[in-house]
Amino acid sequence: MPAMNSPSAPSRQRLGWPLVVLAAAQLVISLDFSIVYVALPGIGSDLGFSGQDLQWVVSAYVVTTGGFLLLGGRATDLLGRRRIFIVAALLYAVSSLVGGLSESAGVLIAVRAVQGIGGSLLFPAALSLVNTLYEEGPVRNRALAAWGAAGAGGLCFGSLLGGVLVDAFGWPAVFLVNVPLAGAIALAAALLFPADGPLPKQRNFDLPGALTATAGITLLVFVLIHAPEAGWGSRSVLICTALSVISLSLFVLVEARTRAPLTPGHLFRHRGLLGAMALTALFSATFSSLPYFLTLYFQTVHGYSAMATGAAFLVPAVVVAAGTKVGERAVARLGVRTMLLGAMATGAVGALLLALAFDSDGSYLRLLPGIVLMSLGQGATWTGMWIVASTGIPAEDQGIASGLASTTLQVGGAVGLAVLVAVAGTGSPELTSAALLNGIRDAVYVITAGICLGAVALLAVRRQANA
């Protein structure tokens, strides 16, 4: 398959500003996911959402992001990283403007779906730019740490920023704030990033593979999000599950027969990428699911306001950002495997301490040791897994490799949260406060066990490699 040539690395004087733009893009992606939570009550009352449909303000974004990531990754390789980055940022800006001005529930859900497509383009474009602008090794590791810190900060600061904006300007502000941010990112990318080469005159794009993969993954993520509410035996879930299986089966057949596959077969022989895909799925199912249960604990068990809940996530935001830098430095001294083992062990201990500290009368200070250790492990693991995902991948495949690893990140999160909600039983509206607290505690115990199993698997792989 014809692919874009890797752009030459920028001069040393320009390394800083491109990274600022890439980090800002990751910040916007993370903010767009988390900032709307605080605005949901106002959106529901103003636009006439039913309680059942309101979740799709969040879920529409998740479904389209997860479903289109492979397509976004390969488009990045074929059409040019800077081109896709700029198009995705502009898509964010325009859709956010429409979202802030929307006056109907249907329009807003459509806007969130379009924002999700923007995320599925922007994420692999930004990650592949990090991996091609910066040389593999310490320089790239530092860039990945800074890029990761911006994403972690966006996830945690989103709730706080959302609370401030909603209190001051109303719910449309959580959408309109993206317009100048995304517009500025698109302009800066046009000015700072190396120009893509000319488009090949003939591009053997795997359209059947793109359509079947996008349909199959989108339906899969939809099922994982929709089934806990509708029931796993409901007609809609069964139909979508069958269609997803058919689409993904067709995708496998297409990839085996086409001369220009969407996912080149040689990537699946790359053990580092396969390991990174497993790690991103585990990370999203465990570390990334924890804020959901922390939010329930703060708001439902202890009655925190939206603003207080956002403030409670300030410590995790700062420590996760610090953890990304700690992880980068630890990789230089210990190697990525050893660092990941230490990071996951630290995160598991932190999650366990959190579960033990949950109490109906407990104070925030009692949670701090667990929050600090868990967040430190989370930040370091985030840096490490993207280092693994990019190491040894040719420049012309960085986009699709990023798409593969980020797809498992999305699917892992959907699977993990569905399982954890079922374990906790938090989906029942008739739960007592004591039952809810016990369910939250059980979910965090399962998260702890999941992180430990991941560390054990990583240790086993390491021993096998050394044997």
Side-chain angles (χ1 to χ4, degrees):
M1 177 183 292
M4 302 297 302
N5 292 328
S6 174
S8 59
S11 65
R12 183 175 297 272
Q13 290 76 17
R14 297 183 62 190
L15 281 178
W17 286 112
L19 182 57
V20 169
V21 177
L22 293 168
Q26 181 64 5
L27 179 67
V28 167
I29 294 171
S30 301
L31 280 175
D32 219 38
F33 175 78
S34 60
I35 198 172
V36 298
Y37 280 105
V38 177
L40 288 178
I43 292 173
S45 61
D46 283 1
L47 300 185
F49 276 94
S50 67
Q52 183 178 2
D53 292 337
L54 188 59
Q55 66 156 329
W56 285 103
V57 176
V58 175
S59 298
Y61 182 83
V62 177
V63 168
T64 53
T65 300
F68 283 78
L69 274 166
L70 278 184
L71 182 59
R74 204 50 176 162
T76 296
D77 289 331
L78 293 174
L79 303 179
R81 301 176 183 94
R82 189 178 77 159
R83 291 189 186 100
I84 295 298
F85 186 96
I86 292 172
V87 168
L90 292 176
L91 192 60
Y92 258 115
V94 173
S95 60
S96 296
L97 178 61
V98 175
L101 300 177
S102 62
E103 297 180 353
S104 74
V107 170
L108 190 62
I109 290 177
V111 162
R112 290 293 285 166
V114 173
Q115 285 182 324
I117 295 173
S120 70
L121 297 173
L122 190 59
F123 188 96
L127 184 54
S128 64
L129 278 164
V130 172
N131 292 332
T132 52
L133 289 175
Y134 302 103
E135 183 180 356
E136 184 175 314
V139 174
R140 183 190 292 176
N141 294 349
R142 288 197 298 272
L144 285 169
W147 174 81
L155 285 174
C156 294
F157 282 117
S159 297
L160 180 60
L161 178 60
V164 171
L165 291 174
V166 170
D167 283 350
F169 307 106
W171 68 262
V174 303
F175 292 95
L176 296 177
V177 70
N178 276 333
V179 178
L181 288 175
I185 287 170
L187 177 61
L191 295 174
L192 293 174
F193 294 160
D196 296 312
L199 291 172
K201 294 182 179 179
Q202 293 183 344
R203 293 189 302 277
N204 296 322
F205 185 70
D206 180 15
L207 182 60
L211 293 175
T212 52
T214 300
I217 296 171
T218 301
L219 287 165
L220 174 61
V221 177
F222 172 81
V223 166
L224 293 171
I225 292 173
H226 182 56
E229 176 192 351
W232 289 96
S234 66
R235 184 178 179 182
S236 60
V237 168
L238 292 176
I239 291 174
C240 290
T241 300
L243 291 174
S244 176
V245 171
I246 292 171
S247 295
L248 292 175
S249 299
L250 289 173
F251 171 67
V252 173
L253 290 175
V254 168
E255 296 302 278
R257 297 184 178 186
T258 185
R259 290 183 299 174
L262 181 71
T263 53
H266 64 268
L267 288 180
F268 295 102
R269 296 190 292 272
H270 194 286
R271 292 185 178 182
L273 179 59
L274 293 178
M277 291 168 64
L279 188 56
T280 58
L282 176 70
F283 177 93
S284 192
T286 54
F287 284 111
S288 296
S289 296
L290 196 52
Y292 172 83
F293 295 99
L294 280 176
T295 301
L296 283 179
Y297 179 75
F298 291 142
Q299 292 190 326
T300 307
V301 176
H302 284 286
Y304 283 22
S305 66
M307 187 70 73
T309 301
F313 279 101
L314 284 176
V315 172
V318 172
V319 179
V320 168
T324 61
K325 187 64 177 177
V326 170
E328 176 259 313
R329 291 184 176 179
V331 167
R333 295 187 178 186
L334 305 174
V336 68
R337 286 181 180 273
T338 302
M339 186 281 288
L340 281 170
L341 281 171
M344 295 172 75
T346 302
V349 171
L352 178 60
L353 291 178
L354 268 179
L356 295 174
F358 286 147
D359 190 88
S360 58
D361 300 320
S363 67
Y364 185 76
L365 288 176
R366 186 177 177 183
L367 301 177
L368 277 180
I371 286 176
V372 169
L373 290 176
M374 181 274 299
S375 301
L376 188 65
Q378 180 178 355
T381 303
W382 175 268
T383 297
M385 69 188 190
W386 294 117
I387 291 173
V388 173
S390 65
T391 300
I393 301 294
E396 63 270 17
D397 289 328
Q398 283 289 347
I400 189 60
S402 301
L404 285 166
S406 51
T407 296
T408 52
L409 183 76
Q410 293 288 331
V411 174
V415 172
L417 191 56
V419 170
L420 291 168
V421 167
V423 168
T426 54
S428 172
E430 301 177 357
L431 278 180
T432 64
S433 180
L436 177 62
L437 179 59
N438 289 333
I440 292 172
R441 188 182 292 115
D442 289 343
V444 179
Y445 281 137
V446 173
I447 288 172
T448 304
I451 297 172
C452 289
L453 286 175
V456 169
L458 187 62
L459 183 62
V461 170
R462 182 185 184 188
R463 286 179 174 174
Q464 184 178 9
N466 291 337

